[in-house]
Amino acid sequence: MFEGINFVNKELFWLLLLLPIAIVWYIFKYKKQTAELKISSIKGFKTTNSWLPKVRHLLFVLRLLALALLITAIARPQSVDVSTKTKTTRGIDIVMAIDVSASMLAKDLSPNRLEALKKVAAEFIKGRPNDRIGLVEYAGESYTRTPITSDKAVILRSLHDIKYNTIIEGGTAIGTGLATAVNRLKDSKAKSKVIILLTDGVNNSGFIDPKIASELAVEYGIKVYTIGIGTNGTALSPIAIDQRTGEFQYGRVQVEIDEALLKEIADVTGGEYFRATDNKKLEEIYGEINKLEKTDIDEFKYYNYQEKFRPLALLAGLLLLIEFLLRTTIFRSFV
């Protein structure tokens, strides 16, 4: 009956202890008021089959029920309907700058570095429903694949379509890729602006020095997290294209990542540098960045209280009325 009901004044239920006290008092009073007459025989008395004397205790039961209902009513039963509304108070704009050079097809991560990155990055994007995200691709040159947007479906489709191609100039232009990402964020009104820059090599092309790109990021209040991806030692990497099949031939190649440069970029901009040597480590890195860059969300709860004491009070009043009418009519001669 009271499922989903809260009582404001629960302590008043102690008053229910009055009920057994009232019962004891009633029994004592009844025995005291009952007269006894000892006679040898009752044959001379006319007996009646009236049921009224037998049920007159109903009056006391009605009073007890009314008292119990009144106590429950003054305990103020309420039902509560809670509605929640969330509001993003501090959104984050994020640009993911992804190295798409041929070396990203190396197989030290499964199935290769690029596909492993895409899988982890997709989960990262899904976990940022309140932020705007953009994508930048770079190799020897860079371009914006997707401007910052809150449409996660667009971002995920664009990320899925990223593949190595020969259209973009070869090489690794870290400075150019970073500068393009900065350009996408410089006019952002977000309180927090972040670039996640990933590469598996060293800066060997492009017209913009990575240090100058870092200074631009600082000027526009952009934090840069850098990730070096690749195992320690050698990795099975593409070394040449088979002219007959058009597919890459693979060989063991020494992994070279300019960690000093990536650490400097992260330090200067207030970010952090991470090294992903396998799939699991890459997942952990994006999980760590996800924790570091939290979006502030205010949650507002609205409580709609509905008082439930009125039906109980009315029912108690009705019982008392019935008790009064019975006492002054049918049971008048017995009370």
Side-chain angles (χ1 to χ4, degrees), residues 142-215:
S142 69
Y143 70 95
T144 301
R145 185 171 186 91
T146 308
I148 52 175
T149 176
S150 58
D151 191 334
K152 300 304 184 294
V154 170
I155 293 293
L156 290 170
R157 282 197 300 270
S158 184
L159 178 67
H160 179 269
D161 292 338
I162 292 179
K163 292 179 174 59
Y164 168 78
N165 62 75
T166 56
I167 298 175
I168 191 170
E169 183 181 331
T172 303
I174 295 175
T176 304
L178 178 56
T180 302
V182 169
N183 189 52
R184 301 315 312 178
L185 285 173
K186 64 183 179 65
D187 296 323
S188 168
K189 302 300 182 183
K191 290 185 178 180
S192 184
K193 296 176 280 189
V194 173
I195 293 172
I196 302 175
L197 184 142
L198 181 140
T199 184
D200 67 346
V202 297
N203 186 67
N204 55 23
S205 59
F207 298 99
I208 301 178
D209 188 288
K211 294 182 180 180
I212 294 176
S214 301
E215 292 172 0

Side-chain angles (χ1 to χ4, degrees), residues 124-291:
F124 176 82
I125 292 169
K126 292 175 185 176
R128 312 290 302 194
N130 301 297
D131 301 322
R132 298 196 304 168
I133 299 177
L135 297 176
V136 166
E137 290 185 29
Y138 73 95
E141 55 185 346
S142 69
Y143 70 95
T144 301
R145 185 171 186 91
T146 308
I148 52 175
T149 176
S150 58
D151 191 334
K152 300 304 184 294
V154 170
I155 293 293
L156 290 170
R157 282 197 300 270
S158 184
L159 178 67
H160 179 269
D161 292 338
I162 292 179
K163 292 179 174 59
Y164 168 78
N165 62 75
T166 56
I167 298 175
I168 191 170
E169 183 181 331
T172 303
I174 295 175
T176 304
L178 178 56
T180 302
V182 169
N183 189 52
R184 301 315 312 178
L185 285 173
K186 64 183 179 65
D187 296 323
S188 168
K189 302 300 182 183
K191 290 185 178 180
S192 184
K193 296 176 280 189
V194 173
I195 293 172
I196 302 175
L197 184 142
L198 181 140
T199 184
D200 67 346
V202 297
N203 186 67
N204 55 23
S205 59
F207 298 99
I208 301 178
D209 188 288
K211 294 182 180 180
I212 294 176
S214 301
E215 292 172 0
L216 287 173
V218 173
E219 182 178 343
Y220 290 109
I222 301 170
K223 187 186 300 182
V224 183
Y225 292 98
T226 55
I227 302 174
I229 184 170
T231 189
N232 295 312
T234 62
L236 195 60
S237 305
I239 55 176
I241 297 178
D242 190 320
Q243 298 300 323
R244 292 175 300 173
T245 63
E247 296 180 353
F248 275 108
Q249 294 178 333
Y250 284 78
R252 304 301 301 186
V253 176
Q254 182 68 36
V255 177
E256 294 182 3
I257 300 174
D258 194 342
E259 293 192 284
L261 173 62
L262 297 179
K263 288 177 181 178
E264 182 178 356
I265 293 172
D267 290 341
V268 167
T269 60
E272 289 188 33
Y273 167 71
F274 303 93
R275 177 67 184 271
T277 54
D278 53 38
N279 293 60
K280 187 174 186 302
K281 186 62 177 176
L282 184 62
E283 292 176 7
E284 291 174 355
I285 289 169
Y286 272 88
E288 183 65 22
I289 296 174
N290 194 39
K291 292 177 183 177

Side-chain angles (χ1 to χ4, degrees), residues 2 19 31 35 40 43 65 96 98 117 135 158 163 196 216 231 257 262 284 286 304 322:
F2 295 111
L19 300 183
K31 287 184 177 180
S40 59
K43 289 181 179 181
L65 289 175
M96 304 172 74
I98 301 172
L117 166 65
L135 297 176
S158 184
K163 292 179 174 59
I196 302 175
L216 287 173
T231 189
I257 300 174
L262 297 179
E284 291 174 355
Y286 272 88
N304 181 26
I322 293 172

